[in-house]
Amino acid sequence: MSFTQLGLAEPLLKAIEKRGFSTPSPIQEKAIPEVLQGKDVLAAAQTGTGKTAGFGLPILQRLMEGQPVSGNNVRALILTPTRELAAQVEESIRAFSEFLPLKTAVVFGGVGINPQMMKLRKGVDVLIATPGRLLDLYQQNAVKFSQLEVLVLDEADTMCDMGFLPDVRRILKLVPTKRQTLLFSATMPADIRKLTADILHDPT
């Protein structure tokens, strides 16, 4: 199996090749076709299995089509538990979108909020965020979700362990109900199973 067989577009294949990837990992092989079809996905995947490409590549492909993003809006939102992971995911998404006219941004706490607000002003296609900082930005009208098409919860069990579940549930009330939702978790504790039942629609 090669990336070309997964139905990815030429600009993405070019970016994959530039990064030195040749064969998709098991999670990529399973997740990419499902995400491309617009399905909700529930995946158990450890860190280091290539899950960022598993959801990132097909999301970028879906965003190649559709309306351009308007001011302060986001089209895909990836929630992660830590600033380190948020920065890592953004770096990967930016590399994968190198040959696409799409904008990415990352926001997390512990640093000044104003530069993040400035970055969001023109709108971004893919926003990677930690839950607390995202809610801060929303309360300041710096981010809007009316154009949101895809929501990803990355490392959902870690978010649960770190006490972010109430924040995640607050965010879920703000985003459109008509959306694609992808949830990636290394383990499936009871809280995460309940969350998946509440937010995923007929997931693969």
Side-chain angles (χ1 to χ4, degrees):
M1 171 69 76
S2 71
F3 281 104
T4 44
Q5 291 167 281
L6 293 174
L8 292 169
E10 190 54 45
L12 293 167
L13 293 172
K14 200 170 155 187
I16 292 164
E17 193 181 338
K18 188 172 175 182
R19 296 204 84 195
F21 299 141
S22 54
T23 316
S25 70
I27 189 71
Q28 292 162 1
E29 204 173 297
K30 287 197 174 89
I32 289 171
E34 303 293 340
V35 180
L36 283 175
Q37 284 179 46
K39 292 181 181 173
D40 282 11
V41 171
L42 170 60
Q46 300 289 345
T47 303
T49 52
K51 62 184 166 50
T52 305
F55 60 73
L57 291 165
I59 286 173
L60 290 168
Q61 177 141 330
R62 297 199 69 210
L63 296 179
M64 284 163 61
E65 297 132 20
Q67 296 300 312
V69 70
S70 54
N72 292 102
N73 262 287
V74 298
R75 294 176 65 204
L77 172 63
I78 302 167
L79 289 179
T80 68
T82 65
R83 54 190 287 180
E84 292 77 19
L85 184 64
Q88 260 177 331
V89 170
E90 197 266 341
E91 195 184 318
S92 294
I93 300 290
R94 200 160 15 98
F96 294 140
S97 61
E98 184 181 348
F99 304 107
L100 294 171
L102 298 174
K103 291 175 284 192
T104 68
V106 61
V107 295
F108 44 70
V111 295
I113 200 168
N114 285 342
Q116 296 177 353
M117 290 170 84
M118 295 291 288
K119 204 177 273 187
L120 290 166
R121 196 164 282 174
K122 288 182 179 171
V124 295
D125 296 287
V126 185
L127 179 66
I128 300 93
T130 52
R133 177 50 59 100
L134 184 72
L135 287 167
D136 292 344
L137 287 159
Y138 180 80
Q139 276 152 10
Q140 297 197 39
N141 291 322
V143 65
K144 298 173 185 168
F145 302 116
S146 56
Q147 281 187 284
L148 190 82
E149 297 167 45
V150 191
L151 171 68
V152 182
L153 301 184
D154 191 13
E155 306 219 348
D157 51 349
T158 307
M159 279 200 257
C160 185
D161 293 343
M162 291 175 73
F164 282 134
L165 226 45
D167 280 354
V168 169
R169 288 196 176 276
R170 275 199 285 278
I171 291 162
L172 288 163
K173 289 196 177 97
L174 305 174
V175 298
T177 48
K178 192 175 182 298
R179 59 168 196 266
Q180 182 179 20
T181 309
L182 316 173
L183 188 144
F184 286 75
S185 190
T187 59
M188 293 287 164
D191 281 349
I192 297 301
R193 282 201 297 276
K194 181 169 182 347
L195 186 68
T196 61
D198 293 346
I199 68 165
L200 296 177
H201 173 70
D202 190 21
T204 301

